[in-house]
Amino acid sequence: MKKWVYEFHEGNADMRPLLGGKGANLAEMTNLGLPIPNGFTVTTEACTDYYTQGKQISQEIQEQIFAALAVLEEQRGKKFGDESDPLLVSVRSGARASMPGMMDTILNLGLNDVSVEGFAKKTGNPRFAYDSYRRFIQMFSDVVMEMSKSFFEGILTEIKDAKGAKYDTDLTADDLKEVIARYKAIYAEKMGAEFPQDPKVQLMEAVKAVFRSWDNPRAIVYRRMNDIPGDWGTAVNVQSMVFGNMGNTSGTGVAFTRNPSTGEKGIFGEYLINAQGEDVVAGIRTPQPITKLAEDLPKCYEQFMDIANRLEDHYRDMQDMEFTIQEGKLFFLQTRNGKRTAQAAIQIACDLVDEGRITPEEAVLRIEAKSLDQLLHPTFDAEQLKKGEKIGQALPASPGAAAGKVYFTAEDAKNAHEQDGEKVILVRLETSPEDIEGMHAAEGILTVRGGMTSHAAVVARGMGTCCVSGCGEISIDEDAKVFSLGGYTFHEGDEISLDGGTGFIYKGMIQTKEATVSGNFGRIMNWADGFRRLRIRTNADTPADTANAVRLGAEGIGLCRTEHMFFEPNRIPKIRKMILSDTLEQREQALQELLPFQKSDFKAMYEALKGRPMTVRYLDPPLHEFVPTDPADMEALAKDMGMTVEQVKQKCDDLHEFNPMMGHRGCRLAVTYPEIARMQTRAVMEAAIEVSREKGFSIEPEIMIPLVGDKKELKFVKDIVVEEAETVKKERNSNIIYHIGTMIEIPRAALMAGEIAEEAEFFSFGTNDLTQMTFGFSRDDAGKFLYSYYQAKIYESDPFARLDQNGVGQLIRIAAEQGKKTRPNIKMGICGEHGGDPSSIAFCHDAGLTYVSCSPFRVPIARLAAAQAALNSKK
Ligand code: PEP
Ligand code: MG
């Protein structure tokens, strides 16, 4: 028979997967001889079983729960539901990874109309007994029966008002009996049945509720944000109750062994005298700082400090502990490695290394790579944030905090920022490449449409600008310059704030502060660099972004998207001219005008890189992205080209495609218009030769052809590139070495990679398009329906943010293997958005790629994640 239930003394800290974090640590603490109330853990496997049985707890599991309950009764010398001295228990969730506040807890379980009388007599404290019962009814109704808390809060407030009581603690036993009677009445009215009196029924319903809470919406969101698999399940801990609400020598609190926001060494926490856990959380009474306990209950404080230090020593990490004092006796109810800010994580890890308690390897593994984001962007002032009024939430597309006045066009945003020095938030239905300057000027970007890899998100992350995207709740009228959200209407100049880390949107300006990078941050990064095998490059296409990425540790550029260079106001008319040209001569002439710009861009990039390599990706987007929509732009273009406005309009319409992302883009442009590839080749080669000579760098240009699906297609474009490159070399009398490679971003290219590698010196996996084309859903629109997929548990995370290792990953593995077979020293990297995602980076390490390339602000994350991947694979 399978074991589904473990008494605390039967487990240990290594059994997290089975017992959950809380259960494993309660077991460990029990075995350390610490004061832990007795109890048992129902395993995570029982939770998975509950789901496979169609949300039923099997007979076998129920029997094991009741057997463990009998042991607990024996240990405590009390009986469940007893009329003179009943056993009461808490029922609490506890998953393998801690998910604070995401799942459910029920306290004081086992009370009913009869046992409450016995409990009152036994404790000699009727007030306390009735208070416990009313709390239990309230919690059970809310958590197990999903009744709204407001019914109970309303009744409690009414009775408090009627009795002139300020705090709950001012209510007498008789007042509380009245509360209980009314609670039970509302329960019966809303549930159509009496409040359950059999404690075994209460227990089994509570266990089910905890299992069910594994799949509540906030837990699903939390799992998605933290890469926690949906099939882990939660354990349930059933523990004999101890009471913090038994009078002034009782209390309850939460404490950390070090400060979780700064990492500073020293106990940090708070407690409430005469209270139960939820009172601390609910904030009805203001808790005391933990150090005050030394005055209130000195013996307890001393013992508490002693155990806290022991626990930190034992776990060799900062601990987050819950404790209860019952009539002067201290109990620990939980310990876990405490959640912390990135700043604290770095401080604590370095301190622990300096204290000789952990190694640099362990320090590097301790820091959550993603959390480094917090150190690289402005953040909200924590106090100010508490006062902020949330009006909505959407996708946290690019981290940081932003507060400013709303503007509805890129131009208005730019003018307000540049001319009036205003902090601006650009609010758009969706952004287009033309908005780039407004996006640059903005503190933050809010879009109504678009997912995590939409244009706004990619560009904002590249610039390190806060962006919240895909807020479908907004109704916007861009022409009238007004939007409404959360019951408010905002006009141009009205103030909002955005949190790009959570996706929350606030009314009004919340003060932000610049992030500071402490000296320990560099220490961790240096250790990480010593451990990693993967190289880290960046996706950048401006000298400013390049310099920024280099400052953050980038070893080169893995993706320079050349089209971004064409969107600058002085260049876009020229590319438009090229696109609308009828003849080769016209097109070549327009390209000739673009050449100096492109070349000076590349020169500036090579200079910013100071000898580091750069992969230049040739023109990729469908041409219609460049065509004008604004009537004034159309007119200007018509004039420039000697055409009528109607002719320009007609030409633009002709470029319309039904499915542009699968249309005339990528290398298909070079197949149709080889002169574009020729111009780009000349620009790269001339720039590289000149900067090499002027600055003494030895540059080897890396030219990358996008969206290839067939070897012959690559060969066709490559021949053009080689011909032009050789011409430039001859003209310049240069023997510069250059490399030609391709992106693997079409499933066919991955499957044919063996052949393609005959022509390609390197592969770069464009996992944005590869994901789009493998799943067959649009990277710009999938955000609209993916939420339903998370709800239905079809997908756990956004495949555009976190690499789908099973499907898309399989294509990468095939391509990597086949590519290496043909060309054993082939260089391979990833340049889709996944290049900055820690779990995807671990995959890239495992798949044997050479480097990952990510947006500049993610470079430190990638350095750390690559080191963690290397250390973990060694383990
Ligand atoms: C990709 O498709 O992953 C890629 C990097 O190219 P882009 O995002 O420019 O299409
Ligand atoms: Mg692509």
Side-chain angles (χ1 to χ4, degrees):
M1 193 171 61
K2 187 165 179 152
K3 191 164 168 63
W4 302 99
V5 178
Y6 286 72
E7 289 174 51
F8 288 165
H9 68 88
E10 293 179 302
N12 63 53
D14 296 332
M15 292 168 72
R16 281 181 90 90
L18 187 64
L19 302 180
K22 187 176 291 167
N25 286 336
L26 282 166
E28 187 81 3
M29 289 195 289
T30 300
N31 294 332
L32 286 171
L34 302 183
I36 311 300
N38 303 98
F40 57 87
T41 303
V42 186
T43 64
T44 53
E45 286 176 355
C47 178
T48 354
D49 187 75
Y50 161 84
Y51 282 103
T52 31
Q53 306 282 339
K55 301 200 181 173
Q56 294 295 330
I57 302 185
S58 75
Q59 198 58 35
E60 187 175 283
I61 295 173
Q62 293 199 35
E63 280 164 16
Q64 290 191 23
I65 291 174
F66 290 133
L69 183 67
V71 174
L72 188 58
E73 287 178 326
E74 187 83 10
Q75 287 165 337
R76 302 291 302 148
K78 293 170 191 266
K79 285 252 171 261
F80 221 25
D82 197 81
E83 29 191 277
S84 55
D85 185 14
L87 171 71
L88 304 190
V89 296
S90 64
V91 179
R92 307 168 91 195
S93 60
R96 192 190 305 195
S98 91
M99 297 168 59
M102 293 301 130
M103 291 177 296
D104 290 335
T105 290
I106 301 113
L107 303 179
N108 304 317
L109 188 140
L111 282 172
N112 58 24
D113 294 352
V114 178
S115 67
V116 70
E117 304 286 344
F119 193 47
K121 272 193 217 117
K122 178 72 193 171
T123 56
N125 190 343
R127 193 208 162 274
F128 157 68
Y130 293 110
D131 186 44
S132 302
Y133 191 25
R134 74 98 192 154
R135 283 169 190 270
F136 171 55
I137 297 174
Q138 192 168 341
M139 236 179 187
F140 187 91
S141 308
D142 164 26
V143 171
V144 179
M145 307 311 292
E146 296 172 8
M147 274 178 75
S148 166
K149 279 194 187 81
S150 61
F151 296 128
F152 302 94
E153 280 159 5
I155 291 173
L156 195 63
T157 310
E158 272 175 42
I159 295 185
K160 267 159 70 179
D161 288 348
K163 309 286 174 186
K166 185 165 177 211
Y167 295 113
D168 299 359
T169 42
D170 298 333
L171 294 173
T172 65
D174 283 337
D175 297 338
L176 289 163
K177 280 187 197 170
E178 203 178 320
V179 174
I180 290 165
R182 290 197 47 197
Y183 275 11
K184 284 175 55 193
I186 190 93
Y187 182 97
E189 182 193 325
K190 300 290 172 196
M191 293 289 115
E194 293 300 322
F195 187 78
Q197 293 291 309
D198 180 348
K200 288 193 173 173
V201 171
Q202 294 173 353
L203 177 62
M204 216 42 78
E205 288 304 315
V207 172
K208 266 192 224 162
V210 172
F211 284 160
R212 211 166 50 224
S213 71
W214 172 252
D215 255 351
N216 72 33
R218 66 178 188 277
I220 292 176
V221 170
Y222 187 91
R223 286 204 292 272
R224 203 167 69 239
M225 280 167 58
N226 292 279
D227 291 345
I228 299 172
D231 58 7
W232 277 3
T234 179
V236 184
N237 299 289
V238 179
Q239 190 172 25
S240 170
M241 280 293 298
V242 284
F243 300 94
N245 53 339
M246 279 185 85
N248 288 336
T249 55
S250 301
T252 187
V254 178
F256 298 83
T257 53
R258 301 180 190 229
N259 185 316
S261 26
T262 65
E264 193 189 344
K265 198 173 171 176
I267 201 80
F268 179 92
E270 51 192 25
Y271 74 104
L272 267 177
I273 284 287
N274 196 13
Q276 279 197 343
E278 75 267 23
D279 299 330
V280 181
V281 183
I284 303 163
R285 284 156 58 198
T286 310
Q288 301 288 329
I290 191 84
T291 42
K292 177 98 184 352
L293 189 64
E295 293 165 33
D296 288 349
L297 297 166
K299 278 237 155 55
C300 287
Y301 182 71
E302 208 175 293
Q303 193 195 359
F304 168 78
M305 284 304 293
D306 179 51
I307 295 175
N309 289 332
R310 266 180 77 188
L311 285 172
E312 193 185 87
D313 268 347
H314 184 74
Y315 286 100
R316 301 183 308 131
D317 201 356
M318 184 263 268
Q319 294 300 294
D320 164 2
M321 303 154 297
E322 277 178 29
F323 65 94
T324 285
I325 299 166
Q326 177 175 324
E327 299 188 307
K329 188 165 165 23
L330 173 73
F331 294 93
F332 271 66
L333 300 182
Q334 170 168 314
T335 194
R336 62 181 170 206
N337 295 339
K339 293 246 174 254
R340 60 205 78 181
T341 63
Q343 190 198 338
I346 283 177
Q347 182 72 44
I348 292 169
C350 287
D351 284 349
L352 289 173
V353 171
D354 293 339
E355 291 162 23
R357 298 211 257 179
I358 61 172
T359 61
E361 282 91 341
E362 285 173 305
V364 162
L365 285 170
R366 289 275 174 94
I367 293 155
E368 202 198 335
K370 261 191 200 163
S371 74
L372 295 182
D373 244 355
Q374 297 165 14
L375 299 177
L376 300 163
H377 298 279
T379 48
F380 283 124
D381 183 272
E383 285 306 308
Q384 295 276 324
L385 187 62
K386 274 188 206 155
K387 294 181 212 148
E389 185 185 350
K390 268 180 215 155
I391 51 171
Q393 187 177 21
L395 295 172
S398 176
K405 297 187 173 179
V406 301
Y407 285 89
F408 295 84
T409 70
E411 201 182 350
D412 291 343
K414 183 172 169 255
N415 290 342
H417 177 69
E418 285 178 3
Q419 290 163 18
D420 308 324
E422 278 180 3
K423 286 182 185 277
V424 307
I425 305 278
L426 179 63
V427 183
R428 302 281 282 144
L429 190 59
E430 61 200 337
T431 64
S432 78
E434 282 171 78
D435 292 337
I436 193 88
E437 285 192 301
M439 295 174 78
H440 233 303
E443 303 292 310
I445 299 153
L446 172 61
T447 72
V448 181
R449 292 193 194 136
M452 295 292 282
T453 57
S454 62
H455 176 263
V458 172
V459 174
R461 277 198 293 275
M463 297 191 302
T465 302
C466 160
C467 174
V468 173
S469 69
C471 185
E473 290 161 28
I474 289 182
S475 82
I476 190 168
D477 184 340
E478 286 185 318
D479 295 334
K481 300 186 177 176
V482 58
F483 80 90
S484 52
L485 176 66
Y488 294 99
T489 302
F490 296 87
H491 296 94
E492 185 176 272
D494 289 346
E495 293 171 346
I496 62 167
S497 301
L498 304 177
D499 188 333
T502 58
F504 282 121
I505 304 154
Y506 298 86
K507 181 171 180 283
M509 291 264 249
I510 301 175
Q511 214 173 319
T512 57
K513 49 177 197 181
E514 275 306 312
T516 51
V517 177
S518 74
N520 282 326
F521 184 57
R523 252 178 115 190
I524 295 279
M525 284 292 114
N526 281 340
W527 284 328
D529 290 345
F531 302 140
R532 66 182 159 88
R533 180 187 61 72
L534 281 171
R535 320 284 321 198
I536 311 298
R537 291 196 184 193
T538 191
N539 295 355
D541 32 66
T542 66
D545 284 351
T546 307
N548 196 18
V550 166
R551 190 174 58 77
L552 296 172
E555 297 167 283
I557 289 179
L559 174 65
C560 171
R561 292 176 164 106
T562 52
E563 59 271 15
H564 288 180
M565 297 168 164
F566 295 135
F567 285 112
E568 301 272 324
N570 53 349
R571 298 148 193 219
I572 199 156
K574 303 196 191 324
I575 190 137
R576 284 175 179 158
K577 220 162 122 180
M578 189 275 291
I579 293 168
L580 299 199
S581 295
D582 277 325
T583 64
L584 176 63
E585 288 69 34
Q586 275 180 336
R587 221 169 11 252
E588 280 182 335
Q589 206 228 313
L591 285 164
Q592 207 51 41
E593 288 178 37
L594 276 169
L595 174 64
F597 290 111
Q598 181 102 89
K599 178 174 152 186
S600 69
D601 284 335
F602 291 145
K603 283 188 77 172
M605 299 289 285
Y606 278 129
E607 283 167 15
L609 280 165
K610 299 195 166 59
R612 293 172 185 82
M614 167 163 76
T615 306
V616 175
R617 199 265 308 270
Y618 279 15
L619 196 66
D620 181 57
L623 294 182
H624 79 88
E625 282 197 15
F626 295 97
V627 302
T629 47
D630 189 74
D633 290 342
M634 290 217 183
E635 229 167 273
L637 186 62
K639 206 163 149 208
D640 195 22
M641 297 195 68
M643 295 162 82
T644 66
V645 175
E646 273 59 45
Q647 281 171 319
V648 168
K649 262 197 196 137
Q650 185 57 49
K651 286 223 138 211
C652 295
D653 287 348
D654 290 349
L655 283 167
H656 171 79
E657 291 181 289
F658 283 105
N659 211 339
M661 288 307 268
M662 293 167 87
H664 194 192
R665 58 171 290 219
C667 63
R668 295 158 203 167
L669 296 170
V671 171
T672 330
Y673 305 121
E675 52 280 9
I676 301 178
R678 212 167 276 137
M679 182 281 280
Q680 293 203 288
T681 304
R682 179 164 284 276
V684 181
M685 295 300 289
E686 289 188 358
I689 293 170
E690 286 176 23
V691 175
S692 291
R693 285 179 179 159
E694 287 160 16
K695 304 282 177 188
F697 303 139
S698 81
I699 299 171
E700 295 185 7
E702 297 169 356
I703 291 166
M704 181 154 75
I705 312 301
L707 222 74
V708 162
D710 192 281
K711 178 181 119 174
K712 281 190 269 182
E713 193 181 25
L714 173 60
K715 173 90 170 51
F716 181 89
V717 182
K718 184 178 164 182
D719 286 347
I720 297 159
V721 173
V722 169
E723 190 185 59
E724 187 70 11
E726 293 302 325
T727 309
V728 176
K729 276 173 68 179
K730 233 180 248 142
E731 284 169 14
R732 298 294 177 118
N733 194 21
S734 163
N735 60 359
I736 192 167
I737 296 167
Y738 61 96
H739 306 277
I740 300 173
T742 185
M743 294 190 71
I744 303 286
E745 49 186 346
I746 291 183
R748 189 175 194 280
L751 298 171
M752 302 303 290
E755 271 189 14
I756 291 175
E758 290 167 19
E759 296 297 336
E761 284 179 73
F762 60 87
F763 287 167
S764 181
F765 291 97
T767 45
N768 300 333
D769 277 312
L770 191 57
T771 300
Q772 166 167 265
M773 303 212 204
T774 304
F775 278 87
F777 49 50
S778 156
R779 57 198 263 193
D780 294 311
D781 296 317
K784 284 188 209 143
F785 55 79
L786 275 176
Y787 189 72
S788 311
Y789 277 69
Y790 309 141
Q791 290 262 295
K793 293 171 78 178
I794 299 170
Y795 300 135
E796 278 177 6
S797 56
D798 181 349
F800 290 105
R802 185 177 179 213
L803 189 74
D804 158 45
Q805 298 187 10
N806 294 337
V808 178
Q810 203 178 137
L811 287 169
I812 294 177
R813 284 191 197 276
I814 291 171
E817 248 166 57
Q818 298 298 320
K820 272 187 191 159
K821 251 190 218 156
T822 305
R823 194 186 283 267
N825 62 350
I826 191 165
K827 197 169 63 181
M828 288 183 293
I830 180 174
C831 64
E833 283 300 298
H834 307 89
D837 169 63
S839 70
S840 312
I841 292 171
F843 172 86
C844 294
H845 173 92
D846 202 42
L849 302 198
T850 326
Y851 68 90
V852 300
S853 188
C854 57
S855 44
F857 280 93
R858 285 194 179 174
V859 166
I861 297 173
R863 288 163 73 190
L864 185 59
Q868 291 174 340
L871 290 170
N872 283 330
S873 73
K874 238 200 303 185
K875 271 204 284 191

